[in-house]
Amino acid sequence: MSASIITFQIPHIPKAWWVFCCVMIMPIQMTQADLWHLTPDSEVGFHIDSFGVTLVKGQFEQVQSTMQFDLQQPERANAQVVLDINSISINKPSLKAMVLGPDLFYAEKYKTAIFKSTQFKMLGNHYYQIQGNLTLRGVTRPITFDAKLTPDSNQPDLLNVEAYTVIRRSDFGMKQTLGGIGEKVKIQVIGQWKNSE
């Protein structure tokens, strides 16, 4: 009795289908953005003017920051910055108690301020509008930073950053105070993001 041989015919699969499958199984990490942190020397601060003169200038000495950013796909970036309110240093120490007090930052009750981005909008030539939400004194409001992010020509793991925005004190529940302190608070981030990958 002779053994029978069973054969199977493999259907023809178009080349385009094989290419599609190869693309789909590529490691996700290839498109994942790098993780960045602000360097310790970076400045995250603010100043409040009155009649065109800077009356109060402060800087946050303790900052927690993360940014996911890919130079090839910057529009997919996101960032978060957490500020320790009690770490504020003031150019006029005599005003620190007032700045940290209930009428302004109310540091005893609200320990941190948090910014979370919602969109990085490219404007060209390394300029961006970074839109997001700022939570300050328990109040969350949308704000926009005008920013410039430039790769450092000497160290590829650094991004030079300059970012500015203006908020209104009353939008976050800060009260009118004595001394002629203005309504608008100008916030700036100046320094460098470092790639931690």
Side-chain angles (χ1 to χ4, degrees), residues 134 136-137 139 141 143 167-174:
L134 174 64
L136 177 63
R137 287 179 52 109
V139 178
R141 301 280 189 186
I143 65 171
I167 65 172
R168 298 174 64 88
R169 292 191 298 109
S170 58
D171 287 345
F172 295 89
M174 293 185 179

Side-chain angles (χ1 to χ4, degrees), residues 54-127:
T54 297
L55 185 62
V56 179
K57 184 177 182 180
Q59 181 173 337
F60 297 92
E61 301 295 344
Q62 295 182 28
V63 178
Q64 299 177 18
S65 60
T66 57
M67 179 174 71
Q68 289 185 313
F69 186 84
D70 183 349
L71 284 169
Q72 304 305 317
Q73 297 177 310
E75 71 281 359
R76 300 178 63 181
N78 65 78
Q80 176 173 298
V81 178
V82 181
L83 309 174
D84 184 334
I85 299 299
N86 281 297
S87 73
I88 292 176
S89 62
I90 302 292
N91 63 327
K92 297 179 180 179
S94 61
L95 298 177
K96 186 170 183 178
M98 179 185 69
V99 170
L100 295 179
D103 289 345
L104 293 179
F105 282 99
Y106 204 171
E108 183 180 355
K109 184 174 182 180
Y110 304 103
K111 306 295 185 183
T112 60
I114 303 173
F115 173 77
K116 294 182 180 181
S117 71
T118 56
Q119 182 182 16
F120 275 61
K121 184 177 180 181
M122 296 183 296
L123 303 179
N125 198 29
H126 304 298
Y127 286 93

Side-chain angles (χ1 to χ4, degrees), residues 22-34 70 72-73 76 197:
C22 290
V23 171
M24 291 300 293
I25 63 175
M26 283 182 177
I28 297 175
Q29 288 81 357
M30 293 183 67
T31 60
Q32 186 175 358
D34 290 339
D70 183 349
Q72 304 305 317
Q73 297 177 310
R76 300 178 63 181
E197 293 294 311

